[in-house]
Structures are given as C-alpha cells and as structure tokens.
C-alpha cells in the first residue's frame, strides 16, 4: 500500500477552517474530571445547523455526553469518523502558554488536545460543510465520546447505539494521532486494583501478624511471573513494537511506621492484550492462583484477612480490519501502513461491541500526547483534511454538468 496525497482535494480555506475549529475546541477545558457538556453543545449546534441528524447519549448523571452526528442517508451501510472529547490534565509547570488557548508558532499549533485528539475533531468539523453539501451515497457518522482517557467509558454506548441501527455502519476510522499513517491493530487493557487486608502490631512480634505488604509482594511476584511467560510463550504478533501481551504492577502503597507490621497495602496492575487471546481467562486464572496460594494461607492465619481485587476499567484490543468488506471499499484511499500500536483507542470498542471493523488514522504524533506544550504540525492537519475530503468525494454522487 502506498501513501496517497489528499491535500489537493481542498483549498487553504479548509485548513484555515480547521485551525479555527481547533482553537474553539481547545478553548473548552475538557480534562476528564470536568463535564464535556459545553463542548458537545457547541459541536451539536454547529453540525446540526449544517443539517446533520443529531443524537446525544448522556451518561447516567447527565454530566458527560456522547455525540453522534449523521450526514447522508440512513438506509445503507456507512462510515464512522470517531474521536474523543476529553483530554489529560495540563498541570505541568513546563507549559510556555495557556494550555487551553491555542497558539500558532512556526508551523505548529500548541495547546492541550491539539494532538490527542482534538486535531482530528477539528478536521472533521472543518469538512462538515462539504459533507452537508455533497449528495452522499452512504452516511458518515461523526462520533465524539467522553472519558476515553480514563478507560474508554463513553464509546461503548456509541458502539451499541450504532449496532442497533436498521443498517449499521460497515467501517470506522479512529482519529487517534498516527502521523496520518494507517494503524491496523491496538492492544486492549484491563486495569486492576488490589486491596490487601492483614493484621498489625508491634513489629517485634511480626510472626504473630499477617503482613499485608509481604503478601502483596507475593501477589506482585505472581504477576511478574505471568508477565515473563508472555515474553517467552506469547501469543505473539510481530506487527506490534512489543509483539506480545504485557502485565505489570504500576503502583503500590502500604505501611505506617518502621516498627509496625502493616495491616493494609494496595497495588494496581494492568494486562495489555492482543487480538486473538482471551485476556479475561488469563486474568481469572491468575486471580484463582493468588486466592488459592496466597489468600487462603492468610485467612487460615487470621480471619478477615486476604486480598480483594477490583476492576478499574477495561477496553478490548482492536483486531486487524484488513480482511473486512468495509476496509476493501476504502483501501485505495487509506494512507501508508504504519503497523500496530500498544496504546489504547476506542477501535476495539467499535469492533467488539458494535461489530464495526476499525482502523486508526489521525494527525499528529503520539510522542506529543500527554506532555506539556503539546502540539500538532499544520501539515498534518492539511493531510487529514485532504484524506477526509477524498472519502467524501468517493461516497458522493456526481451529477454530470448539462450540455
């Protein structure tokens, strides 16, 4: 597959429109702890005024909103353009400008979310007038979710809604930053928290106590052993930079003083899976082993002790869509293949919950995401607008000019 240039589809006016949209989107502080309601209101109004069919999917509290804006007919299989509206915090002291005010400098646009991933949203908004003006032969669903950064919490409702349509979409493009390369796989993740309950007392009587930290360490050791098995036994997919699943402990806490046996401890760990494996079965087997070989001896020594495991969040891996009918329909317009990525996206959610094959194509580099002075290259926005424009042209009905 070769790289295509799509910049010729639209003039510099489209790029200026994308810059204006990006400035507007960056101005909404949508760090995940805040509501995205004002941003979704802005997008829904803008797209609705262009004639899009608007669907709002709120969370249970009504504080967070998903947006689906459909252009084109609803009775044929269509195309999803997907992005998330939330961003990570911007509390680092190294910011050289207000992170929620877009700044242009030397061909780059700076601000929280310029890369991850309001840049893609801005391009979609910039070409929306062309979507509205075109006579589309199939629908385009602009889907914008909440709380992707804290576990892909909003996307499942979008995927399920699309799956229940009389004619669901056949293909999804996730606009995560990929330097406008085609990404055909993404790892899944299960994030877990463990709370360890032991017994305390003066450390000089340690044999009489259930040391929560030491039992936590034993459990963490089992996690490390499982991680080494993935390294040696797989499953493997050489298209990933890390070509096998990973498991590791990421945080640990416990203890109150040097002379007190700790009665509480806690740790978090994660499993990053690849498509084709059963991560739930792997996790269940690990927890069963810990319960039998670590928790049972704790409880035998002191009633009420043990380890409680809670799931923080999870999202599925994204499989390779290159064998799907939807991919085949748009393959000649897709950019050069860039492999598969270990970071998370909503692609697996659309695939697993919506039955919609997905790929990742978006402006900017993941290397700039979640950092102070986050930026996107203007040329990346130009390429993205051109790419989206080529998709519009492909699915537009062309009427011959009169003689």
């Amino acid at each position: 597959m070769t790289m295509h240039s799509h910049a010729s589809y639209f003039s510099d006016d489209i790029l200026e429109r994308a810059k204006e949209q990006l400035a507007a989107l960056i101005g909404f502080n949508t760090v995940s702890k805040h509501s995205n309601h004002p941003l979704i209101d802005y997008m829904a109004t803008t797209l609705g005024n262009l004639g899009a069919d608007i669907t709002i999917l709120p969370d249970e509290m009504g504080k967070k909103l998903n947006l689906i804006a459909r252009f084109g007919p609803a009775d044929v299989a269509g195309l999803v353009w997907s992005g998330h509206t939330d961003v990570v915090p911007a509390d680092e002291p190294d910011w050289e400008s207000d992170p929620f005010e877009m700044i242009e400098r030397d061909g780059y646009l700076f601000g929280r979310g310029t890369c991850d991933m309001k840049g893609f949203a801005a391009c979609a908004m910039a070409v929306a007038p062309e979507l509205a003006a075109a006579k589309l032969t199939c629908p385009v669903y602009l889907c914008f979710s909440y709380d992707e950064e804290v576990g892909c919490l909003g996307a499942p409702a979008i995927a399920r809604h699309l799956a229940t349509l009389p004619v669901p979409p056949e293909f999804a493009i996730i606009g995560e930053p990929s330097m406008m390369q085609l990404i055909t796989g993404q790892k899944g993740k299960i994030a877990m928290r463990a709370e360890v309950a032991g017994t305390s007392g003066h450390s000089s009587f340690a044999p009489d106590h259930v040391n929560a930290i030491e039992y936590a360490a034993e459990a963490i050791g089992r996690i490390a052993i499982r991680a080494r098995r993935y390294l040696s036994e797989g499953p493997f997919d050489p298209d990933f930079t890390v070509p096998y699943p990973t498991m590791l402990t990421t945080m640990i806490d416990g203890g109150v003083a040097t002379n007190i046996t700790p009665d509480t401890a806690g740790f978090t760990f994660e499993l990053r899976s690849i498509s084709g494996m059963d991560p739930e079965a792997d996790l269940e087997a690990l927890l069963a082993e810990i319960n039998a070989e670590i928790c049972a001896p704790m409880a035998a020594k002191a009633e009420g002790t043990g380890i409680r495991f809670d799931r923080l969040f999870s999202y599925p891996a994204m499989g390779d869509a290159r064998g799907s009918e939807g991919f085949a329909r748009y393959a000649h317009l897709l950019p050069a293949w860039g492999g598969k990525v270990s970071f998370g996206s909503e692609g697996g959610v659309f695939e697993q919950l919506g039955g919609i094959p997905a790929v990742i194509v978006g402006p900017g580099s993941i290397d700039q995401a979640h950092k102070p002075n986050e930026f996107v290259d203007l040329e990346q926005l130009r390429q993205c607008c051109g790419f989206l424009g080529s998709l519009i042209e492909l699915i537009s009905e062309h009427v011959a000019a009169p003689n």
Side-chain angles (χ1 to χ4, degrees):
M1 187 177 295
T2 57
M3 181 66 184
H4 300 276
S5 174
H6 304 298
S8 61
Y9 280 98
F10 288 114
S11 68
D12 285 344
D13 290 343
I14 301 294
L15 180 61
E16 288 301 314
R17 196 186 297 164
K19 287 168 55 178
E20 292 172 2
Q21 287 294 339
L22 185 54
L25 298 178
I26 296 300
F28 293 97
N29 182 343
T30 51
V31 171
S32 303
K33 67 180 180 181
H34 301 312
S35 172
N36 71 339
H37 209 302
L39 173 58
I40 292 295
D41 285 347
Y42 166 77
M43 299 178 87
T45 299
T46 302
L47 297 172
N49 287 342
L50 291 171
D53 180 80
I54 300 297
T55 300
I56 301 292
L57 302 175
D59 69 355
E60 292 182 358
M61 302 298 293
K63 180 180 179 182
K64 303 291 184 74
L65 305 175
N66 291 317
L67 168 65
I68 302 173
R70 175 180 55 82
F71 289 93
D75 57 352
V76 292
L79 182 62
V80 171
W81 297 354
S82 172
H84 62 82
T85 60
D86 63 317
V87 297
V88 297
D91 300 328
E92 306 94 337
D94 300 329
W95 279 92
E96 297 176 1
S97 59
D98 183 345
F100 298 105
E101 179 183 353
M102 193 189 77
I103 301 296
E104 182 175 355
R105 188 168 61 248
D106 300 325
Y108 300 95
L109 303 176
F110 293 84
R112 177 55 86 221
T114 49
C115 166
D116 185 16
M117 58 176 294
K118 291 179 177 178
F120 176 80
C123 292
M125 297 284 286
V127 302
E130 276 60 42
L131 277 171
K135 187 173 179 58
L136 298 176
T137 58
C138 70
V140 175
Y141 297 89
L142 276 61
C143 299
F144 299 106
S145 67
Y146 64 83
D147 285 359
E148 187 272 350
E149 296 290 4
V150 291
C152 295
L153 302 185
I158 295 178
R160 292 188 183 101
H161 176 86
L162 295 176
T164 63
L165 296 177
V167 184
E170 64 174 354
F171 191 55
I173 293 171
I174 314 299
E176 290 281 0
S178 71
M179 289 298 289
M180 289 306 296
Q181 291 183 311
L182 171 66
I183 303 299
T184 56
Q186 155 246 308
K187 289 188 176 181
K189 180 175 177 176
I190 303 174
M192 299 291 294
R193 175 69 181 176
E195 299 291 349
V196 186
T199 60
S200 67
H202 197 285
S203 60
S204 62
F205 296 99
D208 297 333
H209 309 145
V210 177
N211 188 320
I213 289 179
E214 290 183 354
Y215 282 104
E218 288 192 37
I220 290 170
R222 302 303 174 98
I223 293 169
I225 290 171
R226 187 67 188 89
R228 289 193 290 271
R229 284 176 54 195
Y230 285 132
L231 173 63
S232 61
E233 301 174 11
F236 298 101
D237 185 338
D239 291 337
F240 284 101
T241 304
V242 180
Y244 48 84
T246 58
M247 181 179 281
L248 75 156
T249 303
T250 54
M251 298 175 65
I252 185 170
D253 56 79
V256 294
T258 60
N259 61 351
I260 299 176
T261 302
D263 63 346
T264 61
F267 61 91
T268 61
F269 67 100
E270 68 170 42
L271 166 60
R272 288 188 183 263
S273 59
I274 62 176
S275 181
M277 65 179 286
D278 189 344
E280 297 291 347
D282 284 11
L283 179 64
E284 183 179 350
L286 172 68
L287 298 187
E289 177 184 324
I290 292 173
N291 283 327
E293 300 180 16
I294 299 175
C295 297
M298 295 173 68
K301 187 170 184 177
E303 184 179 356
T305 62
I307 306 176
R308 187 186 79 246
F309 293 97
D310 296 307
R311 181 174 303 222
L312 299 177
F313 63 84
S314 62
Y315 53 80
M318 182 181 81
D320 196 324
R322 285 178 288 183
S324 68
E325 292 184 9
F327 182 92
R329 193 178 314 280
Y330 301 99
H332 66 290
L333 295 180
L334 294 170
W337 185 65
K340 300 179 181 181
V341 295
S342 295
F343 64 79
S345 87
E346 296 172 335
V349 175
F350 280 95
E351 177 190 329
Q352 296 297 319
L353 299 184
I356 306 169
V359 298
I360 297 172
V361 179
S365 169
I366 195 65
D367 292 340
Q368 305 306 323
H370 301 192
K371 291 181 178 179
N373 304 307
E374 178 182 348
F375 68 83
V376 67
D377 189 329
L378 270 172
E379 180 56 30
Q380 286 284 296
L381 296 187
R382 183 188 301 275
Q383 289 183 30
C384 186
C385 288
F387 169 60
L388 298 179
S390 71
L391 294 173
I392 296 172
E393 180 160 293
L394 175 67
I395 61 175
S396 296
E397 180 179 330
H398 297 281
V399 180
N403 294 328

